[in-house]
Amino acid sequence: MSANEELTGAEIVVRCLQEENVEHVFGYPGGAVLYIYDALFNQDRVKHILVRHEQGAVHAADAYSRSSDRIGVCLVTSGPGVTNAVTGIATAYLDSIPMVILTGQVPTHAIGLDAFQECDTVGITRPIVKHNFLVKDVRELAATIRKAFYIARTGRPGPVLVDIPKDVTAKKAVFQYPAEVPMRSYNPVLKGHTGQIKKAVQMILSARRPMIYTGGGVILSDSSRELNELVDMLGFPCTNTLMGLGAYKASDRKFVGMPGMHGTYEANLAMQNCDVLVAIGARFDDRVIGNPADFAKHQRQIIHIDIDPSSISKRVKVDVPIVGDVKEVMIEVIRQIRATDVRPDPRALADWWKQIEEWRSRDCLKYDRSSEKIKPQYVVEKLWEATGGDAFITSDVGQHQMWAAQFYRFDKPRRWINSGGLGTMGVGLPYAMGVQMAHPQATVACITGEASIQMCLQELSTCKQYRLPVKVLNLNNGYLGMVRQWQQIEYGSRYSESYIEALPDFVKLAESYGHIGMQITRPADVEGAIREALSRKDRTVFMDFLTDPAENVWPMVQAGKGLTQMLLGSEEL
């Protein structure tokens, strides 16, 4: 095109996506975005993936971003298209996932008049996005989309929404994509304060009972290599949160498991009894540290590295705050440690490891392997063995999510895709779709439950249309499992509305969508079924495992309790 050629707003949207090297857009058409869909039809660089519900579009774009270093993009129409997308947007926001959501809006002259399929998109989504825009002038469209991508990926990442009225997509303007984004009010700090880093290094090297505690920030900043280098150089114990699994290799003995509500005994006791705690890209979430008052009873020095200053000392007061990009800060920490001959006292560290190994010997994750019923932990273990620990694993939310986190040992980052902050049931299948689109040759498995899978089950149709060979492992216990567990422990076994009385035949259901369905009822058949499913490289396979309905997730820290007040149901075995 010539330098001064005008494009419609819809064409500008597509050109912006091309400039950002966007390969896939997940979406669902509607009246307010039809000009954009027409512009997508007239090119072939940006591929559109038609989901079956707007929530599925956002989840798929979210997982596309989580599993790669690319920005997930979704496109939905106005009104109900936006409101259907809200859960997915909030899911991404709570986990700091960089995304761009393009939404249609009624024409500018109709905004505020209760027009057909109108809603206040900016107002509705303001609390659940990093930023949002309403574009009323086609001449501002390209610069706004450029800002959206920049804001989404920089600083503490997150979803950014661009609301585009229909008349803006029809009007014309000269297209020019800005090379830079001047934003005086937005300047994320990347380099950590040199003096604070020096203090942190001195504290680390003088530690006698050290602990490295990492979260999703290590994954999002692509600093797993630096974390592994730091832990291996120091020989310190390391724990990864639910969102940080895979940041440090789970196969290494220095990994003590996940901390928190369903973390390991050794991780939680080490968190409580260390004398120097190095928190990297983690936020001391309530599911991780339990009761903050109980956590504070144990004296320790805390170093906290995070890109977001508002996360530091938010729930737990820290001694050495370092605001900056996790990767940049860890590179400097490693450099300073290598520049000195000082190292932690080896005898004190040996004594500390002796204590940790004593805690680890309790084997808090053991379960009954002699049962005639299928144990969900066994299914996850066999999946880990069959995939060599090298698959992308998505999950929904509930007991199966915790078992996946406990028993699939992740050695690489961005392989574990789940909803942490919001805890959104229904994400598993659309997450698997997004991951498979980002990694077409990879093995992608969705670990789900019979309740969660039904929340976005219609996306089996999307899997069929785009021939996505995801493998679904349904750990079917006939209950809202985590709800049932809490009701058993805290509500006197009063199982109010936690029993699923009208489950479908999942095999026939999968087959009706054109997929392969299996039902597995015996432990002896678990491994064979998984290996058979994995061998079907070109098909979606739905495996319905009828698991023990009474199985609980252990350990467990009840709400309001401290990390040392764990229920170890496994010790009853």
Side-chain angles (χ1 to χ4, degrees):
M1 60 175 285
S2 63
N4 295 318
E5 184 179 351
E6 292 189 331
L7 300 178
T8 66
E11 291 168 333
I12 288 172
V13 169
V14 174
R15 283 294 304 274
C16 290
L17 296 178
Q18 292 173 347
E19 290 290 331
E20 291 288 344
N21 295 313
V22 173
E23 294 182 33
H24 297 97
V25 173
F26 300 88
Y28 202 93
V33 288
L34 287 184
Y35 283 118
I36 299 176
Y37 273 87
D38 196 48
L40 285 168
F41 182 84
N42 290 322
Q43 55 84 59
D44 57 9
R45 282 182 57 188
V46 180
K47 297 177 177 59
H48 181 272
I49 308 301
L50 177 65
V51 297
R52 301 308 189 259
H53 191 285
E54 288 89 353
Q55 182 172 330
V58 187
H59 290 329
D62 174 350
Y64 190 92
S65 181
R66 289 181 195 244
S67 66
S68 68
D69 58 357
R70 290 167 281 177
I71 301 293
V73 180
C74 59
L75 170 63
V76 302
T77 194
S78 63
V82 168
T83 57
N84 281 346
V86 162
T87 297
I89 298 170
T91 301
Y93 178 72
L94 265 292
D95 289 342
S96 303
I97 305 304
M99 287 177 53
V100 171
I101 305 101
L102 303 175
T103 61
Q105 184 56 275
V106 300
T108 52
H109 63 81
I111 292 176
L113 301 179
D114 295 331
F116 176 68
Q117 292 194 331
E118 180 190 1
C119 71
D120 179 6
T121 298
V122 168
I124 289 171
T125 62
R126 184 176 286 117
I128 55 168
V129 294
K130 187 175 177 183
H131 196 65
N132 59 18
F133 299 91
L134 171 61
V135 184
K136 292 186 176 182
D137 187 334
V138 67
R139 292 169 296 182
E140 298 175 358
L141 187 54
T144 301
I145 293 176
R146 177 73 172 88
K147 288 178 182 177
F149 276 90
Y150 175 70
I151 294 171
R153 66 164 59 97
T154 55
R156 179 175 181 170
V160 178
L161 183 143
V162 182
D163 198 31
I164 312 172
K166 186 171 184 178
D167 59 320
V168 172
T169 64
K171 291 177 181 178
K172 289 190 173 184
V174 174
F175 174 71
Q176 184 176 4
Y177 203 62
E180 297 181 354
V181 185
M183 297 179 68
R184 288 185 299 174
S185 61
Y186 178 70
N187 293 291
V189 174
L190 298 181
K191 298 286 187 180
H193 188 279
T194 303
Q196 292 295 89
I197 294 176
K198 186 176 181 180
K199 285 182 186 178
V201 168
Q202 291 172 345
M203 193 175 287
I204 289 168
L205 296 178
S206 64
R208 299 179 66 82
R209 300 187 310 279
M211 182 71 169
I212 294 179
Y213 149 59
T214 78
V218 176
I219 306 284
L220 293 169
S221 61
D222 289 320
S223 50
S224 177
R225 187 179 69 81
E226 287 75 18
L227 174 64
N228 279 262
E229 183 179 353
L230 179 66
V231 173
D232 292 344
M233 176 174 63
L234 294 170
F236 288 0
C238 180
T239 182
N240 299 151
T241 66
L242 181 71
M243 300 309 300
L245 291 177
Y248 185 74
K249 48 189 180 293
S251 60
D252 195 285
R253 194 72 178 170
K254 290 185 288 295
F255 179 67
V256 295
M258 183 174 67
M261 178 173 280
H262 296 295
T264 65
Y265 185 74
E266 54 268 29
N268 284 348
L269 268 291
M271 285 276 284
Q272 283 288 55
N273 292 282
C274 64
D275 68 341
V276 173
L277 180 62
V278 186
I280 307 174
R283 57 190 180 94
F284 293 92
D285 178 73
D286 59 294
R287 290 293 177 105
V288 169
I289 66 162
N291 186 321
D294 185 84
F295 189 73
K297 287 179 182 177
H298 295 69
Q299 292 297 313
R300 61 177 81 74
Q301 294 178 304
I302 300 177
I303 300 161
H304 192 178
I305 304 168
D306 203 286
I307 187 72
D308 183 1
S310 71
S311 289
I312 296 179
S313 290
K314 187 175 186 177
R315 300 191 74 245
V316 171
K317 180 174 171 46
V318 306
D319 300 282
V320 182
I322 303 175
V323 178
D325 179 77
V326 164
K327 191 183 190 78
E328 297 282 353
V329 174
M330 276 205 287
I331 287 173
E332 180 59 19
V333 168
I334 291 168
R335 188 195 69 77
Q336 289 194 21
I337 291 174
R338 291 201 182 282
T340 178
D341 294 329
V342 179
R343 289 293 179 269
D345 184 335
R347 289 172 296 181
L349 189 57
D351 288 342
W352 178 229
W353 269 114
K354 183 179 179 181
Q355 174 63 77
I356 291 173
E357 292 301 334
E358 182 179 321
W359 291 328
R360 179 145 44 190
S361 68
R362 295 186 72 164
D363 193 12
C364 65
L365 298 181
K366 67 183 176 184
Y367 63 92
D368 183 5
R369 296 175 180 273
S370 63
S371 174
E372 294 182 1
K373 298 177 181 178
I374 296 177
K375 294 293 185 178
Q377 303 96 316
Y378 181 72
V379 177
V380 178
E381 283 186 330
K382 289 303 173 185
L383 177 64
W384 176 72
E385 291 174 7
T387 58
D390 199 33
F392 287 87
I393 305 297
T394 75
S395 86
D396 274 293
V397 170
Q399 286 180 315
H400 60 269
Q401 177 191 25
M402 295 300 108
W403 285 316
Q406 290 174 334
F407 290 93
Y408 197 100
R409 300 179 65 79
F410 295 93
D411 275 352
K412 298 177 182 178
R414 297 189 183 272
R415 295 303 182 97
W416 168 233
I417 314 296
N418 80 119
S419 168
L422 195 64
T424 306
M425 291 174 68
V427 297
L429 183 58
Y431 270 1
M433 291 166 16
V435 174
Q436 195 75 76
M437 293 303 303
H439 307 273
Q441 303 305 315
T443 298
V444 181
C446 167
I447 297 176
T448 185
E450 77 291 334
S452 286
I453 191 64
Q454 293 189 83
M455 292 197 168
C456 284
L457 187 65
Q458 70 279 351
E459 300 306 335
L460 284 174
S461 180
T462 308
C463 293
K464 176 65 175 177
Q465 180 173 346
Y466 296 97
R467 299 177 182 177
L468 301 177
V470 300
K471 308 299 182 266
V472 179
L473 291 85
N474 185 33
L475 304 184
N476 185 349
N477 61 10
Y479 280 95
L480 301 178
M482 192 61 83
V483 172
R484 183 204 59 74
Q485 177 169 337
W486 280 52
Q487 288 173 337
Q488 177 187 339
I489 295 169
E490 299 193 7
Y491 297 88
S493 295
R494 293 183 295 277
Y495 301 124
S496 176
E497 304 301 325
S498 57
Y499 179 64
I500 308 296
E501 294 186 287
L503 289 175
D505 183 328
F506 285 108
V507 172
K508 290 181 179 178
L509 190 58
E511 290 174 347
S512 74
Y513 277 103
H515 304 310
I516 298 171
M518 302 178 182
Q519 187 179 80
I520 302 92
T521 61
R522 300 188 310 145
D525 298 329
V526 168
E527 183 174 3
I530 291 174
R531 292 190 180 278
E532 181 182 348
L534 293 174
S535 72
R536 304 303 298 266
K537 302 292 186 184
D538 60 342
R539 297 288 299 276
T540 298
V541 182
F542 192 112
M543 291 165 274
D544 186 27
F545 295 93
L546 302 189
T547 62
D548 186 346
E551 192 69 13
N552 286 332
V553 179
W554 306 114
M556 178 180 176
V557 178
Q558 294 171 271
K561 302 289 186 180
L563 288 183
T564 59
Q565 299 170 292
M566 283 171 280
L567 298 178
L568 297 176
S570 60
E571 293 197 342
E572 298 173 3
L573 300 175

